[in-house]
Amino acid sequence: MPKQIDLLISGCLAVTVDKNFSVIENAGIAIDDGKIVDIEKNEDVIKAYRARKTVSAKNKIAIPGLINAHTHAAMVYFRGLADDLPLKEWLENHIWPAESRYVNAEFIRNAVKLAAIEMLKSGTTTFCDMYFLPNVAAEVLEDVKIKAILGVPLLDFPTPVSKSPEEGLKNAQKLIESLKGSSRLMAAVMPHSPYTCSSGLLKQAAEMSKEYDVPLQIHLAEEKWENEKIISEKGMTSVAYLNDLTVLSEKTSAAHVNWISREDMEILKEAKTGVIHNPQSNMKLATGICPVPDLLKMGITVGLGTDGAASNNDLDMFGEIQTAARLHKIARKDPTVISAKQALWMATMGGAKSFGLDKEIGSLEINKKADIVLLDTNKPHLVPLYDAHSQLAYSAKGSDVDTVIIDGKIIVENCNLLTCNEEKILNKARLFSKKLKGITF
Ligand SMILES: [Zn+2]
């Protein structure tokens, strides 16, 4: 007797990102109670199961849902506001003034919705977000039904939402308490960076991450001057300094990590700290190049992130995969230093491992959560198809995403969002840009 299941994806090309990078042609994926219960040749799966709903996936590639491991989602509302500037000038003269003027609960609600639908429609099923009012973002995300790891940036100076570092820490603690029961959302502690947080604040953040057993994310060694500043003030590199303060652990992921030495890499490896690579943002702000080939060779976990849309300028993880797969080749003048498989791994398993979620998500394997993305290959730029990993890393785009499934539930179907009204969200963004236009910062 065939076993009754919730959902069957029938006849896809499954790119599993399991430890052997298995690819199954004409695959069937059986999903029940939010999990993958079988993934095999379609003919076998069809015989073994009877599904309440079947998605016919001819000419579609199935991949694990992508994990955008470092972003600032609400910054989509500042997309294209100020470009072609150095990081410090961009932040201090444009982004921070705009944030202090506009960021409030309504802004977060509308901007996070826009970011979430942009990510969903381009194949991201989980993202890690460092931004203000994550409690407001959480309400929105529960409705949209995307998964997220959320944290409020902790800073030494007042922010649009907290007057002091102590208030920031209190907000972080409140968020951890409030997201305890959520199946899709998780809280994290997010000290902004070694140069914007005092050693006391960094230590307290690390303690909170350990006490509550939640991830910690921090910007680290994004620009050269940051590292030089820490060296001159503390007598050691940013990485060594954070290690000294016990900020680096297996719960920690560090975004950017462009300016590090061989010794720093050894420290990261020893601490089991993950690195989140943000190649498009780093290229656009000309901040530096993360030594990804060396990190991967050393067995350090590397995830991939878009960073905020204001420095990218989109949240399409396929763009990030493509850029990561290309950037290191030209940087090292060697096309073999990073492969299509490694780039896809970073965008899936790498992100999952960085947050300790690799038993649940990141690959298409039995017993994992059914977070699955189907790409439509019936397009001129996706034929012929010789190697699925190459096609995904070098030819595919977010706009090729046709179906998105999270915890076994279809969230995007035939490119349409089922959980929210896209047109309304787009119109709100247009209205915001009208309000902001004409104001010079
Ligand atoms: Zn960032």
Side-chain angles (χ1 to χ4, degrees):
M1 269 290 282
K3 203 176 157 236
Q4 183 87 23
I5 52 164
D6 292 333
L7 183 64
L8 173 68
I9 301 170
S10 176
C12 61
L13 176 67
V15 176
T16 64
V17 200
D18 65 6
K19 67 176 189 304
N20 301 317
F21 285 94
S22 312
V23 173
I24 310 167
E25 283 177 33
N26 195 17
I29 307 175
I31 296 159
D32 197 46
D33 201 20
K35 286 186 173 177
I36 297 172
V37 293
D38 211 345
I39 173 161
E40 254 310 326
K41 283 281 179 197
N42 198 37
E43 57 203 60
D44 299 332
V45 175
I46 285 174
K47 269 187 223 147
Y49 301 94
R50 178 168 300 134
R52 286 178 194 92
K53 182 176 169 81
T54 298
V55 174
S56 172
K58 193 172 181 285
N59 289 328
K60 294 198 170 72
I61 300 180
I63 61 166
L66 301 175
I67 298 168
N68 186 350
H70 175 71
T71 189
H72 312 278
M75 291 183 82
V76 286
Y77 263 29
F78 301 133
R79 186 193 331 260
L81 176 66
D83 288 327
D84 310 326
L85 296 166
L87 174 66
K88 207 161 180 290
E89 191 189 336
W90 175 75
L91 275 177
E92 289 174 4
N93 300 340
H94 299 271
I95 296 303
W96 288 342
E99 283 177 334
S100 71
R101 181 158 187 166
Y102 290 106
V103 171
N104 56 33
E106 195 199 353
F107 172 95
I108 297 292
R109 222 169 274 127
N110 295 332
V112 165
K113 258 187 213 167
L114 178 67
I117 69 169
E118 182 184 355
M119 285 191 269
L120 278 172
K121 289 192 82 179
S122 53
T124 292
T125 52
T126 300
F127 69 100
C128 180
D129 198 55
M130 182 195 284
Y131 210 65
F132 307 113
L133 300 173
N135 52 321
V136 176
E139 287 168 28
V140 168
L141 298 171
E142 286 285 10
D143 290 342
V144 178
K145 295 191 168 43
I146 190 169
K147 291 180 179 174
I149 299 136
L150 303 170
V152 63
L154 302 172
L155 293 144
D156 277 344
F157 45 86
T159 72
V161 295
S162 60
K163 289 180 209 73
S164 64
E166 290 74 31
E167 198 181 337
L169 280 164
K170 247 182 228 150
N171 289 340
Q173 191 181 2
K174 264 192 227 156
L175 184 75
I176 295 170
E177 302 282 357
S178 73
L179 295 185
K180 256 182 191 161
S182 172
S183 62
R184 276 187 296 268
L185 306 176
M186 187 166 128
V189 185
M190 299 195 178
H192 177 265
S193 76
Y195 71 96
T196 49
C197 297
S198 67
S199 56
L201 180 56
L202 290 166
K203 256 190 182 164
Q204 281 174 290
E207 276 159 23
M208 192 180 279
S209 152
K210 283 179 195 108
E211 187 187 336
Y212 290 94
D213 193 23
V214 295
L216 182 149
Q217 188 167 82
I218 186 165
H219 293 109
L220 177 59
E222 183 174 1
E223 280 209 288
K224 201 174 175 205
W225 65 262
E226 284 177 42
N227 212 25
E228 284 164 356
K229 184 176 181 323
I230 298 289
I231 290 170
S232 76
E233 285 172 8
K234 314 287 176 191
M236 56 186 124
T237 65
S238 316
V239 172
Y241 171 59
L242 288 188
N243 197 37
D244 220 41
L245 296 171
T246 68
V247 173
L248 302 182
S249 78
E250 59 196 349
K251 292 190 201 318
T252 304
S253 56
H256 305 294
V257 196
N258 297 327
W259 297 93
I260 54 165
S261 65
R262 180 54 65 168
E263 292 77 50
D264 290 334
M265 291 182 211
E266 295 290 348
I267 294 172
L268 291 171
K269 186 182 158 76
E270 179 75 14
K272 297 193 174 74
T273 290
V275 168
I276 311 302
H277 181 33
N278 305 267
Q280 291 200 345
S281 172
N282 294 162
M283 288 166 72
K284 184 160 177 277
L285 293 164
T287 48
I289 301 174
C290 176
V292 169
D294 304 325
L295 298 175
L296 290 174
K297 213 178 269 172
M298 289 174 73
I300 294 169
T301 300
V302 184
L304 211 52
T306 56
D307 211 0
S311 64
N312 187 299
N313 285 1
D314 62 38
L315 303 178
D316 180 353
M317 281 292 287
F318 283 96
E320 230 51 45
I321 294 170
Q322 282 216 26
T323 308
R326 289 179 156 99
L327 169 64
H328 303 285
K329 293 175 167 62
I330 185 66
R332 310 267 171 127
K333 309 270 187 301
D334 179 356
T336 68
V337 291
I338 187 161
S339 68
K341 281 179 185 162
Q342 285 175 309
L344 184 63
W345 187 90
M346 289 193 284
T348 50
M349 281 303 288
K353 271 188 95 169
S354 305
F355 305 116
L357 296 172
D358 48 314
K359 296 248 175 339
E360 281 183 33
I361 56 174
S363 61
L364 301 181
E365 291 180 87
I366 292 171
N367 280 331
K368 280 208 174 177
K369 296 275 173 71
D371 292 359
I372 304 170
V373 170
L374 299 179
L375 287 99
D376 183 7
T377 66
N378 196 26
K379 300 192 173 183
H381 66 282
L382 293 178
V383 288
L385 198 161
Y386 300 113
D387 180 315
H389 293 107
S390 285
Q391 209 84 318
L392 289 165
Y394 298 114
S395 311
K397 304 170 202 311
S399 52
D400 299 325
V401 169
D402 174 90
T403 301
V404 177
I405 295 162
I406 297 180
D407 287 338
K409 303 256 177 336
I410 299 176
I411 308 293
V412 177
E413 190 171 38
N414 301 324
C415 305
N416 293 314
L417 273 160
L418 304 185
T419 51
C420 42
N421 184 330
E422 186 176 346
E423 199 47 44
K424 248 189 183 169
I425 296 167
L426 267 52
N427 280 334
K428 282 212 168 127
R430 288 186 190 105
L431 275 175
F432 179 80
S433 67
K434 260 188 208 158
K435 187 167 92 176
L436 196 148
K437 218 171 137 187
I439 295 166
T440 45
F441 294 106

